[in-house]
Amino acid sequence: MITVRPMRLLPRSPPLDVTEVLLLVVVFAVPVAVVPWASNAFELPKAALLCFLVLILAALGLGQFLIADRQRRLRWRAGWRHPLLWPVVAFSLALVLATLQSTNLLVSLRGSYERQQGLLTQLAYPTLLLLTVPLLRTRQQMARLWEALVWTSAPVVAYGLLQALGVDPLGWQTDATSPVLSTLGRANFLGSYLVLMAPLTGGLLLINRRRSLLALLLLGQLTCLALTLARGAWIGLAAALLTLALAWAWHTGQRRLAAMALGTTLLLLALLVLLNLPQRPLGSLADLPGLDRLASLSDTRAGSSAARLTIWRATLPLLQARPWLGYGPDTMRTTFAAVYPPQLVYYQGRQTVVDRAHNLWLDLGMSAGLLGLLAFTAVLAAFIRMAWRALRAACDRWTAAAWTALLAAVTGHLVDLQVSFDVTATAATFWLMLALAAALGRPGGLPATAKPVSQGNQPGARATGPVGYLLGGIALALAIPLTVQPVLADLAHWQAQQSRQPLTARLEAAERAVRLNPAEPTYRLTLAAVAVQRGDWSAGEAAARQAVALAPDDAVVWAALGDLEARWGALDSSRLAIAEQAYQEASRRAPTIAAYHTARGLILVQQGRLAAGTTTLQRAIDLDATDGVAYAYLGDAWLAQAQIFEALAAYDQAIRWLPTLSRAYVGLARCYEQLGNVGAAEAMWARARQLAEAVP
């Protein structure tokens, strides 16, 4: 067969109309959307932009339908027979039902602050598919979407490579293993995105005559993916490339290619097994950069592997408690806090919050239950059935390459999601790929080109008539409060957090953030913090209590109120009782998180309730035996009760786990003074002063 560029192979396609232009804007803009001067610089702008564009697309699509002629309406009605349609509709309905019975309706509707994956965003994905399929009327339009998806990754890859070279003008901070995060916000999210992109790029290479630029892009994608150090993405890529090779070999009858692909896969699996054997047969090879990441996959005693297994075990009972519709979209953070396994602090630290199960099926079960799981499985089954039939029946190279690339990308993505989760960019790309597959697998086939239409009868022209303008205005009226105002609020929130700005300006910015997005508790907590810095404790408490009213089931918000009242308690001891109650509420919602017990124990000791304080601090240590601060406070409690040797043991443990904690040395000095050991006491006082002077 002759291998040529798809664009040159096909007859002239209808010109771009406004709806297809908007679709291409979604393709290009969502993965690269970043607002560096916002607190949530990655997910919020991506989700807001996606929802904004989908609302406009939906309005234009409805306008086209209302004024369409009879023939066009008949074609749309025929689309209801599409094998992918009803599973997509069922999945959307499952999300709506799960939201209606959510444990936190507000969060499920708008999404959590960190992830932005509430019902509005979750419905945008299948809606994007339903709006895209009718737009792809010719093969050339599908080729245009395919190439747009591929070339959108070029700026993402270029920025990631710059970060790998240490040239990042924005200077993002990350707690991930790799600093290569590009416009996705984290290295593993970038890896997931590139797992989707690499097979699509490889598919274009199979049918494109001018391969140099595509080959360079693919090399950049693979290099950038390797630099992310994301093990799940690496395994997903291996699965994608194996699927790509086997599917293409099966279609073209190249048995040697299939044998090479299988042989390479077996060699890689053997290497992976050898790297993870406890006897370490490969020796120093397992310590090489990159391979050391793969060599720790089987380590269930520490690191992310141990954390994943622990989270999965804790999630299963939650699914059994609410099996049918789960807990609602984006509610896992508060739900999981109630069963938080204490050992997680040893695997991922005290500051990490669990808001995802890091597994596709468990995350779906938590957000939409069995109904959501079954509906999404039906979507995947319909896609696989279409791909299988299409590959068997494909009579031209372009169609076979398209189905091969799509099947490989979806396979790799699903493998990656067994230890990860979707973000806005990856989810939008995934559903656009399903839309491309749905257009390719449209019942009755797809013409090479559409019938010619006059300029006045083009869909874009019809949609811009009075009906289109009216629906577009309605869509804009909905889009501004739902998508634009949250971004503006986050810009103000970022300004309120800039410590170099005058307090008056920061307070005004915090108040503006609350006005623009009054339903977000995070903004009210920031307003409370800025008000306290100005010395207005009453205003700070009022803002913190408003945050509690918005998220009464969130232990983090209760703890923030407790922190404020505890600081106020240094000036007014009557506030200590309120602080203790707030920490108690936080502990009630997250009974196995040690930090809340530590904070409450300190307040109890300050109130003179030494027995209760000792018990509470011991509970914190039982949950986290490496918390030096809890040991230091426990030492204070024992010392106040004249239990010198118990206090000495507690202070020793505090220094063991936190050697720079001057409070522990002060406590030891007092213990030694009471024991009459003057030399040891002076040494401890000297060390405490040294640490205090070292603090800027």
Side-chain angles (χ1 to χ4, degrees):
M1 289 190 178
I2 299 174
T3 304
V4 295
R5 291 189 71 201
M7 293 289 193
R8 298 183 183 277
L9 175 68
L10 302 174
R12 186 176 182 271
S13 183
L16 287 169
D17 61 30
V18 65
T19 50
E20 192 176 353
V21 169
L22 283 175
L23 174 62
L24 294 178
V25 171
V26 172
V27 173
F28 281 110
V30 171
V32 301
V34 173
V35 180
W37 304 279
S39 295
N40 190 339
F42 296 97
E43 282 307 298
L44 178 56
K46 293 181 194 300
L49 181 61
L50 173 69
C51 294
F52 181 86
L53 294 173
V54 168
L55 279 171
I56 302 301
L57 273 171
L60 293 176
L62 180 59
Q64 291 181 10
F65 177 78
L66 292 176
I67 62 177
D69 55 26
R70 183 174 179 273
Q71 184 178 4
R72 189 172 179 84
R73 290 197 181 196
L74 288 175
R75 287 200 302 270
W76 277 335
R77 289 175 184 174
W80 288 93
R81 298 194 299 270
H82 197 289
L84 200 60
L85 174 68
W86 291 111
V88 170
V89 172
F91 180 65
S92 303
L93 182 60
L95 290 173
V96 173
L97 293 175
T99 300
L100 292 176
Q101 61 85 60
S102 169
T103 55
N104 191 321
L105 181 61
L106 183 62
V107 170
S108 288
L109 282 172
R110 62 176 174 80
S112 67
Y113 176 70
E114 295 80 9
R115 303 298 180 194
Q116 300 292 319
Q117 297 300 307
L119 181 65
L120 182 63
T121 307
Q122 290 287 318
L123 283 184
Y125 304 133
T127 303
L128 183 62
L129 180 146
L130 297 175
L131 294 171
T132 299
V133 175
L135 297 179
L136 303 180
R137 301 181 298 278
T138 71
R139 185 178 292 183
Q140 187 175 8
Q141 289 173 310
M142 291 191 297
R144 194 152 52 205
L145 176 59
W146 184 0
E147 293 193 355
L149 286 167
V150 167
W151 287 108
T152 296
S153 68
V156 177
V157 168
Y159 188 27
L161 295 177
L162 285 176
Q163 290 172 333
L165 294 172
V167 184
D168 186 353
L170 297 177
W172 302 109
Q173 299 295 320
T174 178
D175 59 353
T177 306
S178 169
V180 182
L181 49 86
S182 189
T183 59
L184 275 293
R186 194 174 171 85
N188 53 326
F189 300 155
L190 175 60
S192 296
Y193 173 75
L194 294 175
V195 168
L196 286 165
M197 288 296 102
L200 286 187
T201 309
L204 276 183
L205 274 171
L206 294 173
I207 56 173
N208 202 300
R209 179 181 298 169
R210 299 177 181 177
R211 300 181 177 181
S212 55
L213 285 178
L214 279 173
L216 184 62
L217 177 60
L218 180 59
L219 178 62
Q221 291 170 348
L222 297 178
T223 303
C224 200
L225 198 155
L227 293 171
T228 64
L229 301 179
R231 295 173 296 181
W234 289 353
I235 296 173
L237 176 68
L241 295 180
L242 175 64
T243 304
L244 184 73
L246 291 180
W248 188 251
W250 179 74
H251 173 72
T252 58
Q254 300 180 40
R255 296 184 178 180
R256 182 177 298 179
L257 175 61
M260 289 176 58
L262 289 172
T264 303
T265 302
L266 290 175
L267 286 175
L268 291 175
L269 286 174
L271 174 63
L272 193 61
V273 170
L274 291 173
L275 286 172
N276 284 274
L277 287 177
Q279 297 82 8
R280 291 175 63 88
L282 297 183
S284 59
L285 188 64
D287 297 325
L288 293 176
L291 290 181
D292 61 337
R293 295 278 295 161
L294 293 175
S296 63
L297 275 173
S298 62
D299 187 1
T300 59
R301 297 167 299 175
S304 59
S305 296
R308 297 284 194 279
L309 291 173
T310 304
I311 292 171
W312 295 344
R313 285 193 291 264
T315 302
L316 289 174
L318 293 174
L319 295 176
Q320 294 172 357
R322 291 174 67 105
W324 295 109
L325 289 170
Y327 296 83
D330 236 352
T331 57
M332 183 169 174
R333 182 167 73 89
T334 53
T335 303
F336 191 83
V339 297
Y340 186 91
Q343 63 268 32
L344 270 181
V345 299
Y346 307 139
Y347 306 147
Q348 58 184 24
R350 299 186 187 93
Q351 304 304 319
T352 304
V353 175
V354 178
D355 59 3
R356 290 294 184 272
H358 292 268
N359 176 269
L360 170 65
W361 313 112
L362 294 179
D363 280 323
L364 272 175
M366 286 294 294
S367 61
L370 282 175
L371 291 182
L373 272 170
L374 292 173
F376 187 75
T377 303
V379 172
L380 295 178
F383 165 77
I384 293 171
R385 184 168 176 263
M386 283 193 306
W388 172 255
R389 289 187 171 186
L391 274 174
R392 291 179 61 187
C395 57
D396 65 274
R397 191 178 179 90
W398 189 93
T399 302
W403 279 110
T404 299
L406 290 170
L407 184 61
V410 170
T411 300
H413 189 54
L414 293 177
V415 170
D416 174 39
L417 289 185
Q418 301 315 301
V419 292
S420 185
F421 56 91
D422 261 327
V423 290
T424 305
T426 56
T429 303
F430 173 76
W431 283 93
L432 281 168
M433 289 181 180
L434 290 184
L436 184 56
L440 273 168
R442 184 182 283 118
L446 186 74
T449 186
K451 294 180 180 179
V453 290
S454 64
Q455 184 69 22
N457 291 330
Q458 286 183 17
R462 290 197 302 269
T464 56
V467 175
Y469 285 127
L470 176 61
L471 293 174
I474 295 173
L476 279 175
L478 290 173
I480 289 174
L482 291 175
T483 63
V484 177
Q485 282 189 204
V487 175
L488 296 176
D490 208 51
L491 289 168
H493 181 234
W494 180 83
Q495 293 169 0
Q497 294 177 305
Q498 303 310 300
S499 58
R500 296 182 179 180
Q501 296 295 322
L503 275 176
T504 303
R506 292 175 59 196
L507 183 63
E508 291 175 355
E511 291 172 343
R512 185 165 65 254
V514 169
R515 285 197 304 271
L516 289 169
N517 192 355
E520 179 50 63
T522 303
Y523 299 158
R524 295 187 183 271
L525 291 179
T526 298
L527 175 60
V530 176
V532 166
Q533 290 180 33
R534 292 195 69 199
D536 193 345
W537 293 95
S538 298
E541 182 190 33
R545 289 198 174 278
Q546 289 169 355
V548 167
L550 288 170
D553 59 341
D554 193 341
V556 174
V557 178
W558 279 103
L561 175 61
D563 292 343
L564 186 150
E565 298 290 356
R567 291 175 60 194
W568 198 356
L571 304 175
D572 180 359
S573 60
S574 65
R575 313 306 301 184
L576 293 177
I578 303 174
E580 190 269 328
Q581 292 172 1
Y583 287 132
Q584 188 172 22
E585 290 293 335
S587 298
R588 188 167 68 85
R589 287 158 178 77
T592 55
I593 295 181
Y596 303 145
H597 295 281
T598 300
R600 180 170 175 251
L602 172 61
I603 297 299
L604 290 170
V605 172
Q606 290 177 341
Q607 289 179 305
R609 299 162 62 185
L610 298 177
T614 301
T615 302
T616 304
L617 288 168
Q618 188 60 58
R619 170 61 175 160
I621 291 169
D622 291 340
L623 294 170
D624 181 2
T626 65
D627 188 351
V629 174
Y631 277 113
Y633 291 156
L634 181 60
D636 292 345
W638 285 125
L639 186 58
Q641 298 172 77
Q643 302 290 329
I644 306 300
F645 294 103
E646 287 83 352
L648 280 172
Y651 288 133
D652 284 338
Q653 287 294 318
I655 292 173
R656 175 189 176 189
W657 298 111
L658 197 56
T660 59
L661 185 62
S662 61
R663 184 189 194 94
Y665 291 98
V666 171
L668 282 174
R670 290 172 176 168
C671 288
Y672 287 133
E673 284 177 346
Q674 294 195 27
L675 292 173
N677 191 338
V678 178
E682 289 180 351
M684 293 300 104
W685 280 117
R687 179 58 176 159
R689 285 193 297 270
Q690 181 183 10
L691 290 172
E693 291 171 357
V695 176

